[in-house]
């Protein structure tokens, strides 16, 4: 069931401009009065199993941490209830209010073939829910999710799991993006699915190269997301800063968030440095 949330995480795009110059996915946070360092690891929410990698140093720091802190607490027993209670557009809008008959028929056929979903029976389902169902098909491989793998390690070592925001916070992000644009993005995937696949695979390859600056630049150039950088990334990064600082005062924390949140003027690395912390890239 948690795979559904991981697909939603994958949909929330990386849409920031590059600022942090060094390459790397793994950082130590120290100084500024901290009694123990904490760690910040950039994930990609879905990746082919053969490309999945967690370095020894990452594994050691997770196992020795006081808490594993994700974007949202995927171990929250109430999470799925919240998701399913918000699966439809809040005011009852339907996909047929935004797509004409030909567009709807094409989208219905595509989702039935590629995601085994018949949207004729769920016309009010939120567009990002429908689009998230296509991510396994985009990769077309056995997949792993960094968040779920990190959770397994945490549970094996009896480490508590926390979140920087609630699932309600993440769902609310989409309230600020017009439904017309969300359904247009869905239909654009139907029209040129191979382009969507190429773009996503290129994003994964850039993640594997640890080139965070290029990764966020790629997505900031995408027409779907560039107008919503503040909503999708900047605002959330700023909102995470206070709880991160409060948690680090408690002890050694291991933060794992989407890699697109690390770079940029409003990225977590720069925001933490501006608060007076020493943020040092580590080999992962």
């Amino acid at each position: 069931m948690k795979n559904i949330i991981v697909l939603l995480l994958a949909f929330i795009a990386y849409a920031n401009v590059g600022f942090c110059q060094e390459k790397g996915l793994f950082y130590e946070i120290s100084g500024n009065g901290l009694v123990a360092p904490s760690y910040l690891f950039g994930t990609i929410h879905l990746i082919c199993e053969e490309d999945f990698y967690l370095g020894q140093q990452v594994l050691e720091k997770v196992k020795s941490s006081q808490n594993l802190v994700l974007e949202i607490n995927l171990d929250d027993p109430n999470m799925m209830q919240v998701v399913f209670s918000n699966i439809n557009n809040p005011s009852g809008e339907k996909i047929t209010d935004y797509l004409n008959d030909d567009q709807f028929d094409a989208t219905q056929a595509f989702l039935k073939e590629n995601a085994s979903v018949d949207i004729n029976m769920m016309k009010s389902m939120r567009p990002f829910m429908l689009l998230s169902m296509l991510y396994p098909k985009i990769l077309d491989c056995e997949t792993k999710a960094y968040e779920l793998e990190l959770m397994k390690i945490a549970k094996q070592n009896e480490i508590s799991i926390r979140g920087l925001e609630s699932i309600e916070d993440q769902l609310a992000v989409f309230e600020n993006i017009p439904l017309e644009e969300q359904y247009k993005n869905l239909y654009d995937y139907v029209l040129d699915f191979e382009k969507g696949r190429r773009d996503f695979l290129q994003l994964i390859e850039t993640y594997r190269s640890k080139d965070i600056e290029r990764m966020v630049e790629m997505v900031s150039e995408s027409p779907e997301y560039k107008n919503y950088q503040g909503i999708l990334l900047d605002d959330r990064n700023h909102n995470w800063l206070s709880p991160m600082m409060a948690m680090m005062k408690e002890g050694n924390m291991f933060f794992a968030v989407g890699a697109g949140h690390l770079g940029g003027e409003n990225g977590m690395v720069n925001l933490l440095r501006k608060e007076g912390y020493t943020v040092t890239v580590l080999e992962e």
Side-chain angles (χ1 to χ4, degrees):
M1 299 293 280
K2 292 184 178 67
N3 286 321
I4 296 175
I5 308 300
V6 172
L7 294 177
L8 296 183
L9 288 172
F11 180 79
I12 298 180
Y14 308 120
N16 210 350
V17 293
F19 189 82
C20 177
Q21 297 299 314
E22 68 262 50
K23 287 189 177 183
L25 299 170
F26 189 39
Y27 294 82
E28 180 183 81
I29 308 166
S30 61
N32 202 21
L34 295 182
V35 297
S38 288
Y39 299 90
L40 176 63
F41 179 62
T43 71
I44 191 164
H45 299 306
L46 207 64
I47 195 168
C48 288
E49 186 172 12
E50 63 189 40
D51 294 327
F52 179 85
Y53 175 76
L54 279 177
Q56 188 60 38
Q57 188 166 203
V58 172
L59 294 172
E60 290 174 357
K61 298 305 182 184
V62 175
K63 292 176 182 178
S64 64
S65 66
Q66 181 173 322
N67 292 143
L68 169 65
V69 186
L70 306 174
E71 292 182 26
I72 56 176
N73 181 0
L74 293 172
D75 205 37
D76 183 350
N78 298 316
M79 183 179 58
M80 294 310 304
Q81 180 179 347
V82 173
V83 171
F84 286 124
S85 65
N86 287 275
I87 200 167
N88 294 318
N89 294 317
S91 298
E93 299 93 338
K94 297 180 180 179
I95 188 172
T96 47
D97 295 332
Y98 300 94
L99 301 185
N100 63 36
D101 290 345
D102 289 341
Q103 291 171 333
F104 173 76
D105 290 344
T107 303
Q108 180 185 23
F110 187 84
L111 283 167
K112 185 177 290 186
E113 178 181 354
N114 293 284
S116 301
V117 173
D118 186 358
I119 57 173
N120 195 49
M121 306 300 293
M122 49 182 102
K123 291 182 179 179
S124 294
M125 180 177 283
R126 291 186 178 207
F128 66 83
M129 292 277 190
L130 294 171
L131 187 53
S132 68
M133 295 177 184
L134 291 173
Y135 276 93
K137 184 65 176 181
I138 289 175
L139 290 176
D140 199 23
C141 60
E142 292 296 322
T143 60
K144 277 194 171 185
Y146 278 93
E147 287 78 7
L148 299 186
E149 297 304 315
L150 290 169
M151 284 178 60
K152 289 179 185 177
I153 297 168
K155 289 187 173 184
Q156 289 168 358
N157 291 273
E158 299 183 345
I159 295 167
S160 298
I161 299 166
R162 300 165 72 173
L164 291 170
E165 63 186 4
S166 67
I167 184 63
E168 290 92 344
D169 293 331
Q170 289 210 342
L171 293 172
V173 167
F174 297 98
E175 298 298 326
N176 297 302
I177 302 177
L179 276 174
E180 181 178 4
E181 291 195 34
Q182 294 187 50
Y183 279 116
K184 179 183 181 300
N185 291 340
L186 173 62
Y187 184 59
D188 285 345
Y189 264 88
V190 172
L191 284 180
D192 196 349
F193 187 65
E194 285 307 311
K195 179 183 182 300
R197 184 200 297 272
R198 289 194 303 272
D199 290 346
F200 195 78
L201 292 178
Q202 183 60 50
L203 185 67
I204 291 175
E205 189 59 33
T206 306
Y207 174 81
R208 292 180 62 203
S209 73
K210 308 175 188 178
D211 191 346
I212 301 304
E213 181 172 358
R214 179 55 192 150
M215 183 179 181
V216 294
E217 285 174 351
M218 284 171 55
V219 187
S220 68
E221 295 164 0
S222 66
E224 305 101 296
Y225 307 130
K226 64 182 180 181
N227 293 329
Y228 301 102
Q229 172 185 327
I231 296 169
L232 293 165
L233 279 187
D234 295 353
D235 293 347
R236 294 171 67 214
N237 291 346
H238 283 275
N239 290 340
W240 291 349
L241 191 58
S242 289
M244 283 182 72
M245 292 191 296
M247 290 179 191
M248 289 190 293
K249 289 180 180 178
E250 299 175 20
N252 179 0
M253 301 290 155
F254 189 101
F255 299 99
V257 301
H261 290 280
L262 302 187
E265 183 176 0
N266 293 294
M268 297 312 306
V269 171
N270 189 50
L271 292 179
L272 288 164
R273 285 174 175 164
K274 287 173 68 175
E275 290 292 331
Y277 297 97
T278 300
V279 185
T280 307
V281 66
L282 302 175
E283 290 296 325
E284 69 272 16

